[in-house]
Amino acid sequence: MLINKVQIKNYKSLDDVTIINPSPFSVFFGTNAAGKSNLFEALELTSFVFRKPSEALKFFGGFKELFTFQKLGAEEKEISVSVEVPNGKMNFKVLDENKSVITGFADSKGELKDLFGETFSRIFLGNQKINKEIFKDDKKLISNGSNLVKVLSRLLKDEVISEEIIEWLQFLIPELKSLEIKQNELTGEDYLLVWEENSQEPFSGNLVSDGTTNSIALLASLYQTDTPQFLLIEEPENGLNPKVIREFVHLCREISEKKNHNIWLATHSQTLVSEIKPEEAILIYKESGFTKAKQFFDLNLYNLKMDEAWLSNVLGGGIPW
Amino acid sequence: MKKVGFIGEGESEVVLLTSSSFSELLVEYDLESVGEIDAMGRGNLENYSEKLDSKLKILVERKAEKIFIISDLEQEPCINHYKQKITNTYNSSIPQVEIISVKAIEAWILADSVTMEKLLRGRFYFDQPESTINLPISELQNIFLYRTGRGLGSSKPRIMKKFIKNGFNLDKAAEHTNCDSAKYFVRKLKEVSEA
């Protein structure tokens, strides 16, 4: 699922950011407060506008909270996003009066629907502030992962997916044997049990480590649909061992290719960045208070790894001070 | 505008090289930086020598006419011997390399009497900034502890940033009578500009 171009104007710190021909598996990295989350949030807004244009704004706090504050004095104030795919294009504006207006739309092959329709997900595990989805059903993981059991319950009923998820977990987490979803007889709610080797009894969800829970949630997000999905994951490294982070990068790349997913990660992790190729790297940095994005299609690193290039400032804009 | 590239031994050097005041100095000399790369030496040549060749090649590819490596001599007694040690670590077919050896970059801060006086709120002159008994960072920390009752903390890049924010720059250090490495660096920048 290819994206030709994304351009975001006047959304928080992104006064004018363009991303051209991003790899379906892309990794956004940079210093704290560079604007990675703002960029992902603008894409989430795009999905809300795509799905419910008249209501989208109210989930994001309204125009005043979203418009680039350095430009509040400007005469014409509007946030705009445009997305180009091989066979379609979508432009929309968010206006001062708390309205969003789609100004151009063509999607002859349903590519925009695949990107920004129901399968769009923005995940930031453990972050309670960012969830904007109302429905916590079993179709997809919501931002903070709080409907993990529901999604997992559905996925584990599929024999092939269940086997793949369990195999990955057995590989990533020593001692883990299997997962089981049970139903509470009193409340009717599902809950997660984790079986470990050398243990006669399973552990219930609240006794499982954060790292294990996050690994399960990340796998659930990657396997939650077989149809092409646009999956944004922020700080997937949280709670994960460096070796698990490395394997997670390879899995994202593999699934992205196999299932035609767009999987974009935002990270601070040196380990994660060390595993990516130049064409998958998008550096996010600030210049004069505004977020900028830099891509690296033809970069020869002369045997440096991407994390070395990032932290030694070969890429520019990468050092925090 | 001629293109130059920089490799600093550590984060403090890169903080200086990426500062807006250093960029202004380059503009004054009609030079454009194509990169300010951290050698990630952590105070030791052996730490960065392995990757130095790659970083130099990246700057060559960006068409730098001159590449400055700013490296700390620390306790090394002979500049020429030290420069040769650095040269031996990379592919010698990169002729545009110029090594700037300074005892430690904090010596340039000691040499900038104007910024030191501003932060110490009193008279200051350090006669031999490049011939300190202790490392320049220790001298700097001791001076602040003694004169203000407050140290500067242990983070070298934070210290560098604090001084830059208060006016420190390479050309200020180069004005000091006994700060030869800063003078040499400025002279070499001018030479590229005028070549």
Side-chain angles (χ1 to χ4, degrees):
Chain A
M1 195 166 45
L2 294 175
I3 296 173
N4 297 126
K5 184 179 168 185
V6 175
Q7 184 171 26
I8 300 161
K9 285 186 177 179
N10 301 327
Y11 189 87
K12 294 190 173 176
S13 60
L14 291 77
D15 72 320
D16 190 355
V17 167
T18 303
I19 294 163
I20 306 279
N21 297 324
S23 165
F25 171 59
S26 288
V27 176
F28 296 71
F29 55 96
T31 58
N32 289 106
K36 299 182 291 296
S37 285
N38 290 347
L39 195 149
F40 277 25
E41 191 180 270
L43 292 169
E44 189 179 26
L45 172 66
T46 308
S47 172
F48 271 70
V49 169
F50 184 89
R51 287 182 283 157
K52 34 199 160 194
S54 61
E55 301 174 339
L57 257 280
K58 70 181 179 195
F59 294 95
F60 290 77
F63 185 88
K64 274 190 184 161
E65 280 195 26
L66 306 181
F67 185 70
T68 307
F69 76 91
Q70 294 99 320
K71 293 185 170 179
L72 276 172
E75 265 185 38
E76 283 190 24
K77 290 198 276 283
E78 64 179 35
I79 297 164
S80 69
V81 177
S82 74
V83 182
E84 290 176 29
V85 289
N87 299 288
K89 191 174 179 177
M90 174 183 173
N91 301 311
F92 74 87
K93 288 178 182 175
V94 177
L95 304 170
D96 207 350
E97 305 88 50
N98 269 346
K99 284 181 188 160
S100 60
V101 183
I102 295 178
T103 56
F105 186 77
D107 191 24
S108 63
K109 296 204 170 165
E111 293 151 300
L112 288 166
K113 184 171 170 283
D114 284 341
L115 285 169
F116 294 105
E118 295 303 325
T119 56
F120 176 94
S121 296
R122 179 183 173 211
I123 310 282
F124 195 159
L125 296 173
N127 187 326
Q128 302 303 324
K129 293 182 291 183
I130 68 161
N131 183 51
K132 296 174 182 71
E133 300 284 353
I134 299 169
F135 301 109
K136 293 184 178 183
D137 59 18
D138 65 354
K139 298 287 183 293
K140 65 176 183 183
L141 211 58
I142 63 166
S143 304
N144 57 20
S146 59
N147 62 337
L148 172 63
V149 175
K150 282 184 181 175
V151 176
L152 205 55
S153 175
R154 173 176 62 82
L155 294 176
L156 293 180
K157 283 173 190 151
D158 182 307
E159 204 176 317
V160 177
I161 292 176
S162 171
E163 197 179 309
E164 284 200 34
I165 290 179
I166 304 286
E167 264 185 22
W168 266 107
L169 285 170
Q170 287 169 341
F171 172 61
L172 299 175
I173 300 160
E175 300 281 301
L176 190 139
K177 194 161 75 178
S178 70
L179 302 179
E180 188 182 356
I181 304 291
K182 284 255 189 187
Q183 195 175 50
N184 185 312
E185 286 176 9
L186 286 175
T187 62
E189 278 188 23
D190 286 344
Y191 61 96
L192 173 66
L193 292 175
V194 176
W195 289 87
E196 287 193 357
E197 302 283 356
N198 306 315
S199 174
Q200 301 300 315
E201 295 292 326
F203 295 94
S204 60
N206 56 348
L207 293 176
V208 177
S209 78
D210 287 347
T212 299
T213 308
N214 286 1
S215 300
I216 297 169
L218 291 171
L219 284 167
S221 71
L222 295 178
Y223 282 97
Q224 63 190 354
T225 177
D226 272 335
T227 56
Q229 65 165 332
F230 194 4
L231 176 61
L232 310 180
I233 308 178
E234 293 188 55
E235 301 186 16
E237 67 269 19
N238 289 345
L240 303 190
N241 171 288
K243 285 188 183 291
V244 173
I245 294 171
R246 286 201 183 98
E247 291 303 327
F248 177 69
V249 171
H250 301 306
L251 177 63
C252 287
R253 188 182 290 129
E254 184 187 310
I255 287 197
S256 163
E257 283 170 13
K258 199 164 119 187
K259 296 191 176 179
N260 209 14
H261 291 343
N262 270 272
I263 301 174
W264 290 9
L265 311 179
T267 187
H268 294 285
S269 164
Q270 178 178 2
T271 308
L272 200 156
V273 174
S274 73
E275 293 301 306
I276 61 175
K277 303 168 186 172
E279 63 271 22
E280 296 166 341
I282 302 180
L283 177 73
I284 301 294
Y285 62 103
K286 268 194 177 165
E287 206 171 80
S288 307
F290 296 118
T291 296
K292 304 286 169 199
K294 203 189 261 190
Q295 295 174 268
F296 308 95
F297 294 109
D298 303 313
L299 180 67
N300 185 345
L301 287 174
Y302 294 96
N303 298 324
L304 290 182
K305 293 196 113 187
M306 190 49 91
D307 64 316
E308 291 170 320
W310 171 31
L311 296 177
S312 63
N313 203 38
V314 165
L315 308 178
I319 58 164
W321 26 75
Chain B
M1 204 174 247
K2 291 186 175 155
K3 292 182 174 176
V4 287
F6 301 92
I7 295 181
E9 181 166 315
E11 290 184 326
S12 305
E13 284 81 359
V14 177
V15 169
L16 173 63
L17 296 167
T18 54
S19 67
S20 51
S21 48
F22 188 77
S23 301
E24 283 161 18
L25 192 64
L26 293 183
V27 170
E28 200 180 303
Y29 296 143
D30 206 25
L31 299 173
E32 179 196 348
S33 173
V34 295
E36 311 84 18
I37 298 177
D38 185 348
M40 303 181 96
R42 298 190 188 95
N44 190 337
L45 173 63
E46 278 73 33
N47 283 339
Y48 69 81
S49 56
E50 190 193 338
K51 305 286 181 184
L52 190 56
D53 200 46
S54 302
K55 291 172 180 175
L56 286 168
K57 282 175 180 162
I58 286 167
L59 292 174
V60 170
E61 193 175 87
R62 292 179 189 172
K63 311 223 175 330
E65 289 182 40
K66 187 66 90 180
I67 300 170
F68 295 95
I69 299 175
I70 297 111
S71 190
D72 292 351
L73 271 169
E74 298 199 344
Q75 308 299 351
E76 183 75 38
C78 173
I79 287 187
N80 290 334
H81 180 243
Y82 188 64
K83 283 187 176 183
Q84 191 55 51
K85 265 168 76 178
I86 296 174
T87 309
N88 290 343
T89 66
Y90 65 86
N91 186 336
S92 55
S93 67
I94 304 175
Q96 60 268 58
V97 171
E98 184 72 57
I99 299 166
I100 308 292
S101 293
V102 53
K103 185 180 174 78
I105 195 167
E106 291 79 15
W108 293 351
I109 295 177
L110 285 172
D112 176 4
S113 306
V114 178
T115 308
M116 286 293 286
E117 285 189 354
K118 183 180 172 190
L119 285 168
L120 289 170
R121 294 178 186 173
R123 300 290 297 161
F124 180 83
Y125 181 77
F126 201 96
D127 189 44
Q128 297 292 336
E130 297 205 81
S131 308
T132 52
I133 298 163
N134 302 311
L135 285 175
I137 184 74
S138 305
E139 294 285 352
L140 203 54
Q141 284 162 328
N142 290 341
I143 290 162
F144 272 80
L145 198 58
Y146 179 72
R147 296 266 302 256
T148 69
R150 290 176 61 196
L152 287 167
S154 58
S155 165
K156 289 185 185 179
R158 184 174 157 266
I159 291 170
M160 178 58 77
K161 184 128 189 171
K162 179 186 174 83
F163 278 87
I164 289 170
K165 202 176 155 194
N166 283 282
F168 167 70
N169 201 6
L170 173 68
D171 52 350
K172 297 250 186 78
E175 285 169 14
H176 193 289
T177 319
N178 301 319
C179 193
D180 291 342
S181 61
K183 284 187 204 303
Y184 182 77
F185 191 6
V186 168
R187 193 170 76 238
K188 288 293 166 185
L189 287 171
K190 276 184 187 164
E191 278 176 18
V192 183
S193 164
E194 289 159 8

